[in-house]
């Protein structure tokens, strides 16, 4: 009798072991085949963590970050680091101008990574294809790989002192310390100009700058680099990512941002001018998916870039003129920030903490001046939502949260 019981127990244990082994092997095979947990287990984990099988964990994390206490904490941290960043910039320029390239590198790499992460959450990551990001990438290449290359330094000098610096008054970038987006956009447009100012007047070891920079050299080199970027931009938006952009209209690009009604800033001026010239019909609006609109914005962007590059060779020859130019540009940036705090912030900030989740999110997008939410929007600042030089190519512009779009950095 005892042997029979023992035999039955052994058989049952053997069957259970085989069953669990089969399940384990099935799970292992599923992981190898699909690279993820089976759907029923995935749903259980989701329900345990979020309370519902159809609710994504990333949505819970995003909602937590959008709650008023977290928003206030992020704004306070942004204010703190923005003020500290300005103090460090002053120290680096006045006390360590020969080593400003190191400060630029340590500041810009984290800012670009953070912007990529934040804009990916908002589906604005295609803004990072815009010209101001390409210009900052070229500056990082200079700092890390070719610190004494005359050609690269000249091209970066033209881009940083022309389109990027003049994007601050053009797109109303503003020094708003509590806004992580605006402070990031401000640094994206101001730090390259400071980097090349220090490189020109306090050159690194091994680099001896020419005394004069001719108009033909500055304009030719700058536009050659710009057209190279424009070709790559069109390759990405019209070939590589064409299907994804056309099938996901919620993915924001520069041209989609700028052509969203109501128009403002340069977009409004260009629209009125083209209707007056007969290029556009009296009731015709921009359409970001049509090549007519794309070619218009490509042409406008090219003209803007060429015009802003014209005075750069004069700055190369005069320390005082160069210094005065930068002080004027940064003074405008500070003035825009003061205007924002006095005229916009006092009314808009409280909305971010009132109402339900949908109302708070709408208020947040309105503060970034996103299309469909912006009130009186100054033209976007070129950096995805805050942009440097306007990137008016095929579907994609830079977003930085500015005063017009997120771009009012």
């Amino acid at each position: 009798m005892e042997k029979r019981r023992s035999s039955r127990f052994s058989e049952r244990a053997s069957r259970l072991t085989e069953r669990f082994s089969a399940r384990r092997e099935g799970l292992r095979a599923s992981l190898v085949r699909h690279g993820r947990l089976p759907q029923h287990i995935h749903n259980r984990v989701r329900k345990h963590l979020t309370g519902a099988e159809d609710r994504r964990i990333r949505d819970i994390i995003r909602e937590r970050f959008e709650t008023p206490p977290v928003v206030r904490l992020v704004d306070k941290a942004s204010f703190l680091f923005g003020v500290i960043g300005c103090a460090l910039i002053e120290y680096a320029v006045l006390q360590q101008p020969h080593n400003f390239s190191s400060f630029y590198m340590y500041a810009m790499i984290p800012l670009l990574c953070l912007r990529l992460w934040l804009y990916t959450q908002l589906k604005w990551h295609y803004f990072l294809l815009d010209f101001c990001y390409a210009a900052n990438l070229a500056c990082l290449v200079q700092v890390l790989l070719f610190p004494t290359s005359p050609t690269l330094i000249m091209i970066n000098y033209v881009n940083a002192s022309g389109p990027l610096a003049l994007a601050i008054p053009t797109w109303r970038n503003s020094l708003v310390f509590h806004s992580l987006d605006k402070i990031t956009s401000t640094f994206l447009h101001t730090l390259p100009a400071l980097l090349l100012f220090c490189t020109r007047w306090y050159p690194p070891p091994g680099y001896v700058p020419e005394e004069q920079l001719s108009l033909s050299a500055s304009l030719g080199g700058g536009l050659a680099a710009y057209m190279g970027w424009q070709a790559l931009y069109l390759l990405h938006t019209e070939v590589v990512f064409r299907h994804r952009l056309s099938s996901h209209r919620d993915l924001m690009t520069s041209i989609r941002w700028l052509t969203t009604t109501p128009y403002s800033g340069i977009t409004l001026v260009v629209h009125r001018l083209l209707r007056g010239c007969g290029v556009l019909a009296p009731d015709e609006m921009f359409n970001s998916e049509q090549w007519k609109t794309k070619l218009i914005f490509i042409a406008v962007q090219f003209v803007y870039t060429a015009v802003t590059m014209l005075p750069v060779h004069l700055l190369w020859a005069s320390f005082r003129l160069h210094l005065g130019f930068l002080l004027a540009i940064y003074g405008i940036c500070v003035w825009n920030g003061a205007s924002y705090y006095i005229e916009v912030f006092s009314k808009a900030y409280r909305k971010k903490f009132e109402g339900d989740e949908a109302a708070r999110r709408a208020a947040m997008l309105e503060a970034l001046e996103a299309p469909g939410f912006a009130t009186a929007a100054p033209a976007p600042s070129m950096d995805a939502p805050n942009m440097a030089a306007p990137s008016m190519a095929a579907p994609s512009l830079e977003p930085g949260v500015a005063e017009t779009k997120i771009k009012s950095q």
Side-chain angles (χ1 to χ4, degrees):
M1 187 67 163
E2 199 62 36
K3 289 182 179 180
R4 186 178 301 172
R5 288 179 179 176
S6 176
S7 176
R8 288 178 179 175
F9 179 80
S10 298
E11 291 176 2
R12 185 177 301 173
S14 178
R15 286 197 300 270
L16 287 173
T17 301
E18 291 176 359
R19 187 181 304 171
F20 283 125
S21 297
R23 288 186 177 182
R24 184 174 63 249
E25 291 303 321
L27 177 60
R28 184 176 299 167
S30 176
L31 288 172
V32 171
R33 186 168 58 254
H34 302 293
R36 55 179 296 177
L37 291 170
Q39 190 61 41
H40 67 281
I41 297 179
H42 186 77
N43 290 342
R44 286 184 191 176
V45 173
R46 216 183 231 183
K47 185 175 182 179
H48 176 74
L49 295 176
T50 67
E53 292 184 354
D54 59 347
R55 197 175 189 190
R56 298 180 300 179
I57 298 175
R58 75 188 73 170
D59 293 335
I60 291 291
I61 296 174
R62 179 179 57 79
E63 290 169 8
R64 295 280 173 83
F65 272 99
E66 291 177 357
T67 58
V70 175
V71 172
R72 290 191 184 97
L73 178 61
V74 171
D75 289 347
K76 291 175 183 178
S78 175
F79 194 101
L80 172 66
F81 289 116
V83 173
I84 292 176
C86 288
L88 291 175
I89 290 173
E90 181 181 4
Y91 170 80
V93 173
L94 296 179
Q95 299 296 323
Q96 300 288 332
H98 293 89
N99 297 319
F100 187 82
S101 58
S102 298
F103 173 85
Y104 172 84
M105 177 184 65
Y106 291 127
M108 192 53 60
I109 291 177
L111 286 175
L112 290 175
C113 293
L114 182 60
R115 170 145 288 183
L116 173 61
W117 180 77
L118 290 174
Y119 276 13
T120 300
Q121 310 307 307
L122 293 169
K123 296 184 178 181
W124 291 353
H125 46 285
Y126 285 97
F127 276 117
L128 273 72
L129 294 175
D130 284 357
F131 185 68
C132 74
Y133 297 97
N136 274 278
L137 181 61
C139 288
L140 286 173
V141 171
Q142 172 192 319
V143 170
L144 294 172
L145 301 177
F146 307 105
T148 60
S149 169
T151 301
L152 183 57
I153 289 174
M154 183 270 290
I155 290 174
N156 286 340
Y157 184 90
V158 173
N159 290 333
S161 303
L164 262 67
L166 290 171
I168 292 173
T170 302
W171 300 98
R172 297 195 61 177
N173 286 177
S174 51
L175 186 61
V176 176
F177 288 114
H178 82 275
S179 171
L180 179 61
D181 188 81
K182 286 181 170 60
I183 201 71
T184 300
S185 292
T186 296
F187 287 165
L188 282 171
H189 295 102
T190 57
L191 291 186
L194 279 176
L195 169 67
L196 274 301
F197 173 85
C198 292
T199 303
R200 167 64 182 96
W201 302 109
Y202 306 94
Y207 172 64
V208 179
E210 299 287 340
E211 289 299 320
Q212 301 291 329
L213 179 64
S214 67
L215 175 60
S216 59
S218 62
L219 192 61
L223 287 179
Y226 170 80
M227 288 188 289
W229 162 82
Q230 184 71 87
L232 290 174
Y233 184 88
L234 290 173
L235 175 65
H236 280 80
T237 57
E238 299 304 315
V239 180
V240 179
F241 300 117
R242 178 184 178 185
H243 176 72
R244 179 169 177 78
L245 287 168
S246 60
S247 59
H248 294 78
R249 299 301 299 276
D250 57 336
L251 292 173
M252 187 56 67
T253 64
S254 299
I255 195 168
R256 287 179 178 176
W257 186 288
L258 290 173
T259 56
T260 300
T261 55
Y263 302 146
S264 62
I266 288 182
T267 306
L268 180 60
V269 173
V270 171
H271 186 256
R272 289 176 175 175
L273 180 63
L274 293 180
R275 286 199 305 181
C277 295
V279 176
L280 295 177
D283 59 346
E284 186 177 0
M285 307 297 286
F286 289 131
N287 186 333
S288 62
E289 308 308 310
Q290 294 180 354
W291 268 104
K292 181 179 181 179
T293 296
K294 294 175 185 179
L295 291 175
I296 288 173
F297 276 76
I298 290 172
V300 171
Q301 173 70 14
F302 180 84
V303 171
Y304 164 87
T305 303
V307 170
T308 56
M309 289 178 177
L310 288 176
V312 171
H313 71 287
L314 301 175
L315 305 180
W316 183 276
S318 172
F319 175 86
R320 291 185 177 181
L321 182 61
H322 196 175
L323 179 61
F325 170 79
L326 292 183
L327 290 176
I329 292 295
Y330 300 155
I332 293 173
C333 185
V334 174
W335 178 266
N336 289 341
S339 300
Y340 176 86
Y341 275 116
I342 300 302
E343 298 172 10
V344 180
F345 172 79
S346 57
K347 299 176 182 178
Y349 192 70
R350 293 176 65 96
K351 293 182 181 179
K352 295 166 65 175
F353 310 110
E354 297 173 351
D356 56 14
E357 179 190 336
R360 294 197 302 269
R361 183 168 179 78
M364 181 270 290
L365 290 172
E366 181 180 342
L368 299 181
E369 294 165 355
F373 293 90
T375 49
S381 140
M382 292 283 294
D383 294 12
N386 259 336
M387 303 191 236
S391 177
M392 303 182 169
S396 183
L397 169 88
E398 275 185 285
V401 176
E403 293 225 43
T404 316
K405 92 179 218 170
I406 272 192
K407 289 215 160 211
S408 97
Q409 308 183 102

